[in-house]
Structure formats: C-alpha cells, structure tokens
Amino acid sequence: MQILDGAAVSAHIKEQIRQEVVELKSDGKKVPHLAVIIVGNNPASESYVSNKVKSCGEVGFGSSLIRLDATISEEELLSVVNKLNEDKDVDGILVQLPLPKHIEENAVINAINPTKDVDGFHPISQGKMVLGLPTFLPATPYGIMLMLEHYKIDTVGKHCVVIGRSNIVGTPMTLLMSRNSNPGNATVTMCHSKTSNLKEICLQADIIVAAIGRPFFLKEDMVRDGAVVIDVGINRIDDASKKSGFRLVGDVDFDNVAPKCSFITPVPKGVGPMTICGLMKNTLLAARGK
Ligand code: GUN
C-alpha cells in the first residue's frame, strides 16, 4: 500500500507555479492576484480561506481577503463581487461556500465574471467542462486529477466509483474520470445517498472517490484488494486530547481500509492540499488569459 502524499505533491506543483510567477515578473507582466471573500466566521471556512491566502503568498501571487459580516445582504455581496469583476488587478474571485441561508448561492456564483471564476462553479465554466472545452475546473476534482497524474495511476478502462453527487466534487469528478484523457477513460459509476446496493458497487471498483461528507463511511468490507481510494472528506470529530477539541477525519475508515489498498489518500494531507493546487493553477491561468 502506498500513501498518496498530497502535501508533497502540492509542494512540488506550488514550486513550479512559483517559478512561473518569477518568469512572469521578469517578462514585465503582472503578478496573478486572487480575491477571496468570506462571509461570517464559520470555523471550517476560516481555515480553508486562510490556507488559500497563505498559498498565494508561497507561490508569489497577490491576494486580498475580504471579510464580510454574516448579516450582509445579498445585494451588498453582489455589489462587492461586481467591484472585483471590474478591478483590473484582480484575476481570480473566490466566494467561500457555504454562504448564510438568506443569501442565494447561485445568484452570487452567477455574478462572478466567468473569466475570473477560478472555482469553476459558474454555469459557463461548468458548461464548458461538460463539453470538454478549456476552462477552469473545480479545484478539488482538478487537484485529484493532478494527483493521479503525478503518481501515474492507470485509470484507462478501470471502474471508478464516485460516492457523492455535489456540484463541487461528485458531479465534476464523474465527468473528468470518464473523459477521453489521461487520467480519465475510466468507466464511472456515480453513487449517492439513495443508492441501494452501494456496497456491491464499491466492491466492483478499481478506484473509489469518497465525497459524501460522513466520517468513516467507507469500510473495509466495501473495498476490494488492490483498490485505489481517494478520500475527499474533511470531517471534524470531537477529540478531547487535542487543544482545539477536535480532529479531522475523512469519509474513509482509513486504519481498516488502507491495508487493502494499492494507493490511498490520508486525511489530512491528502486531497486538501491538492485542492489548493487546483486553485493556484486556475488563478495562474486566469492571469495568463489577459
Ligand atoms: N467550500 C468547500 N469547498 C469549496 C471550494 O472549493 N470553493 C469554495 N468557494 N467554497 C468551498
């Protein structure tokens, strides 16, 4: 069994991006700039956002962190997004989700200029992705594809089971794995909370992507020997032994599943850092597109 080390792969890719930024600068071009909006102070969102801003610094991007009160109206938030759309220094805009319930997430996503949509959530980005046209890919599936590519994991003709159908992970992951590309060319089954024979389907999988948001969901009796397991879950569970009072665990029962796998991602330091890589690559692409 080999661990898919997201932290190491991410450090390697970020170094490549940093060198590209050095070249942009020496060619007299502008440095990429990412604007990140956080509404309210959801602790998980705070942590994701601070990692994104920190990574911008590491690769040499400029960044702005825009903190807005949880009581902000949808109209006010849309006006902040519009200002960033018009700001020539800003290449990428990211609105951290989830948003407070009184704000319609789709209205905010749709307001982002698609040329700055580094999350790849805008309907234009998603439509292009479905058609296989060049666009910003959602950062988590993009990061997973980069990881599979890095480790040269053979996906051609394999059976990939994706558990979860979210717009952010499950749906784009299903599409990317079935594309005529490398990685890709897999036969994909998308499963979700209403799938009745999930265990039987998982037992047929060469590759499982668990993105269901439930701690320890994927058990060893659902995984066949030699499978590749990608754990997208980042769940907080109580842990009195930690200063914070919690620890992060994935959607996979790692300790029991790992011995059966050919490759598996840990949590943390698996998919999480690769998501940031996807975002950094999209931001560089957005800046180059100018
Ligand atoms: N919340 C959870 N994942 C993401 C992500 O990839 N982008 C944004 N904007 N919000 C998220």
Side-chain angles (χ1 to χ4, degrees):
M1 179 273 294
Q2 187 178 351
I3 296 282
L4 297 170
D5 185 345
V9 181
S10 157
H12 176 72
I13 294 176
K14 285 201 284 195
E15 176 53 25
Q16 289 173 342
I17 298 173
R18 194 189 66 75
Q19 283 167 17
E20 288 194 49
V21 174
V22 170
E23 279 166 31
L24 279 178
K25 268 192 194 162
S26 69
D27 292 346
K29 303 226 173 82
K30 112 175 229 325
V31 162
H33 188 115
L34 175 67
V36 179
I37 300 176
I38 179 165
V39 181
N41 49 11
N42 173 310
S45 292
E46 289 278 2
S47 155
Y48 297 146
V49 158
S50 93
N51 279 334
K52 289 170 186 177
V53 169
K54 185 169 146 243
S55 293
C56 282
E58 286 166 4
V59 299
F61 292 176
S63 65
S64 324
L65 178 56
I66 299 149
R67 293 184 164 279
L68 302 171
D69 198 88
T71 58
I72 192 170
S73 69
E74 184 177 308
E75 203 184 343
E76 285 171 298
L77 177 55
L78 290 175
S79 118
V80 174
V81 170
N82 279 328
K83 283 209 185 79
L84 295 171
N85 281 339
E86 280 155 28
D87 187 335
K88 291 209 161 32
D89 187 46
V90 171
D91 300 292
I93 303 170
L94 180 149
V95 182
Q96 188 64 31
L97 304 178
L99 291 169
K101 290 209 166 30
H102 66 278
I103 299 176
E104 172 72 59
E105 277 180 3
N106 278 336
V108 178
I109 291 168
N110 293 357
I112 296 171
N113 181 332
T115 65
K116 300 189 178 190
D117 174 37
V118 289
D119 252 334
F121 294 169
H122 192 284
I124 290 194
S125 310
Q126 301 245 334
K128 286 184 174 174
M129 176 183 62
V130 172
L131 296 171
L133 300 171
T135 190
F136 303 112
L137 299 176
T140 300
Y142 187 15
I144 294 170
M145 298 307 273
L146 291 170
M147 171 105 93
L148 294 172
E149 186 181 15
H150 180 91
Y151 283 96
K152 299 189 171 54
I153 291 175
D154 185 14
T155 59
V156 180
K158 304 291 179 193
H159 184 197
C160 174
V161 171
V162 177
I163 313 173
R165 58 179 157 188
S166 71
N167 291 340
I168 296 183
V169 184
T171 297
M173 197 64 224
T174 301
L175 266 165
L176 296 179
M177 286 299 277
S178 62
R179 268 186 182 178
N180 184 3
S181 62
N182 191 12
N185 278 314
T187 303
V188 186
T189 304
M190 183 200 264
C191 300
H192 46 74
S193 53
K194 305 286 189 298
T195 300
S196 51
N197 52 342
L198 184 68
K199 182 175 162 186
E200 286 70 28
I201 294 171
C202 286
L203 281 169
Q204 293 165 17
D206 302 301
I207 303 165
I208 301 179
V209 179
I212 196 166
R214 292 204 226 152
F216 309 123
F217 179 81
L218 191 79
K219 306 281 188 215
E220 80 266 31
D221 64 353
M222 300 165 79
V223 179
R224 77 175 175 201
D225 284 335
V228 177
V229 171
I230 309 289
D231 190 350
V232 183
I234 306 180
N235 309 292
R236 289 181 173 214
I237 62 164
D238 292 342
D239 186 341
S241 73
K242 301 277 177 204
K243 212 165 69 185
S244 59
F246 70 87
R247 74 189 155 100
L248 296 179
V249 298
D251 291 354
V252 177
D253 183 2
F254 183 91
D255 289 348
N256 295 311
V257 170
K260 299 185 88 173
C261 297
S262 55
F263 295 93
I264 185 168
T265 60
V267 176
K269 296 190 176 20
V271 171
M274 295 310 301
T275 295
I276 305 245
C277 267
L279 175 66
M280 296 296 114
K281 282 185 85 91
N282 279 344
T283 306
L284 182 63
L285 185 68
R288 284 198 185 284
K290 293 227 163 113

